[in-house]
Amino acid sequence: GEDVEQSLFLSVREGDSSVINCTYTDSSSTYLYWYKQEPGAGLQLLTYIFSNMDMKQDQRLTVLLNKKDKHLSLRIADTQTGDSAIYFCAETSGSSNTGKLIFGQGTTLQVKP
Amino acid sequence: NAGVTQTPKFQVLKTGQSMTLQCAQDMNHEYMSWYRQDPGMGLRLIHYSVGAGITDQGEVPNGYNVSRSTTEDFPLRLLSAAPSQTSVYFCASSEFLYGEQFFGPGTRLTVL
């Protein structure tokens, strides 16, 4: 079945770059997403990428997609303490007509001052 | 726009009790979903709806019922609560099939 895997924890210093990685198994994934969850809150969409793209940049965020290896990464440049949160990778399959999201377990990003 | 709202924010139930988690959105979105979030497991889809009158099961539907009588509301019912249903529940909606999903703030449920 479909599966999305992420490492559980990443710690960086303020001002450094953060790279959060994600792998997925569904070769028919159409859209891949990065969501951010701050403590006690719901999820907020950060960015997404279509499966026919290799890279997408949005201000401090860069998403890289290696479709051959089914690997997705989120790079946050100049990481700030306000970036501390849980980051979820998610995919939805073009073979599904429901648009349902399959989420990874989430990566907790800790930013040290 | 209030976006996606959920009530209650917190709830404690005893095993065997029933309750309904409320979800409403004011964005006229067709697609609505319920997820549960458990530590180390990400979010898992419980039930979803692609429009009023249409619902279907997700990944972990057992123990939950849903209905969608209006576009705005998508309540989740627990008929006989079990400790395994202790979790944080999120409702989400989206305008398009693969569009951005907007999440509510969540309901933290504890079943004793």
Side-chain angles (χ1 to χ4, degrees), chain A:
Chain A
E2 306 134 334
D3 196 19
V4 178
E5 296 281 339
Q6 298 176 242
S7 54
L8 295 182
F9 187 77
L10 175 66
S11 180
V12 301
R13 292 218 171 269
E14 191 174 18
D16 287 350
S17 292
S18 308
V19 179
I20 302 171
N21 294 302
C22 170
T23 57
Y24 58 97
T25 59
D26 187 355
S27 57
S28 64
S29 289
T30 306
Y31 293 73
L32 295 121
Y33 306 84
W34 284 104
Y35 280 83
K36 176 182 180 182
Q37 183 181 33
E38 295 184 353
L43 278 69
Q44 181 182 13
L45 181 67
L46 276 180
T47 187
Y48 64 94
I49 189 168
F50 298 120
S51 59
N52 62 357
M53 296 168 65
D54 297 324
M55 185 182 87
K56 182 178 180 182
Q57 188 149 3
D58 184 1
Q59 297 183 339
R60 292 191 297 122
L61 305 178
T62 302
V63 179
L64 294 178
L65 175 61
N66 182 328
K67 199 172 178 183
K68 173 175 167 288
D69 294 338
K70 299 191 185 72
H71 182 266
L72 183 74
S73 68
L74 174 70
R75 178 177 181 269
I76 305 172
D78 186 25
T79 312
Q80 303 298 306
T81 54
D83 294 323
S84 293
I86 304 176
Y87 291 81
F88 290 93
C89 168
E91 62 95 9
T92 189
S93 169
S95 63
S96 158
N97 63 355
T98 65
K100 75 171 188 179
L101 291 174
I102 306 295
F103 284 87
Q105 310 94 311
T107 300
T108 297
L109 175 64
Q110 179 189 65
V111 182
K112 296 180 181 176

Side-chain angles (χ1 to χ4, degrees), chain B residues 41-62:
Chain B
M41 297 189 74
L43 278 75
R44 292 180 293 168
L45 182 66
I46 305 171
H47 284 286
Y48 64 94
S49 169
V50 299
I54 307 169
T55 64
D56 207 345
Q57 296 181 350
E59 193 182 346
V60 287
N62 291 343

Side-chain angles (χ1 to χ4, degrees), chain B residues 11-74:
Chain B
Q11 183 70 50
V12 179
L13 292 178
K14 293 181 180 177
T15 297
Q17 286 185 313
S18 62
M19 81 158 295
T20 299
L21 279 63
Q22 301 292 345
C23 173
Q25 52 91 9
D26 61 359
M27 298 173 282
N28 203 33
H29 286 174
E30 292 292 331
Y31 302 95
M32 296 187 74
S33 310
W34 275 103
Y35 295 86
R36 59 177 288 174
Q37 182 179 26
D38 300 295
M41 297 189 74
L43 278 75
R44 292 180 293 168
L45 182 66
I46 305 171
H47 284 286
Y48 64 94
S49 169
V50 299
I54 307 169
T55 64
D56 207 345
Q57 296 181 350
E59 193 182 346
V60 287
N62 291 343
Y64 308 96
N65 279 350
V66 291
S67 59
R68 184 95 181 270
S69 56
T70 66
T71 300
E72 293 78 20
D73 300 299
F74 191 42

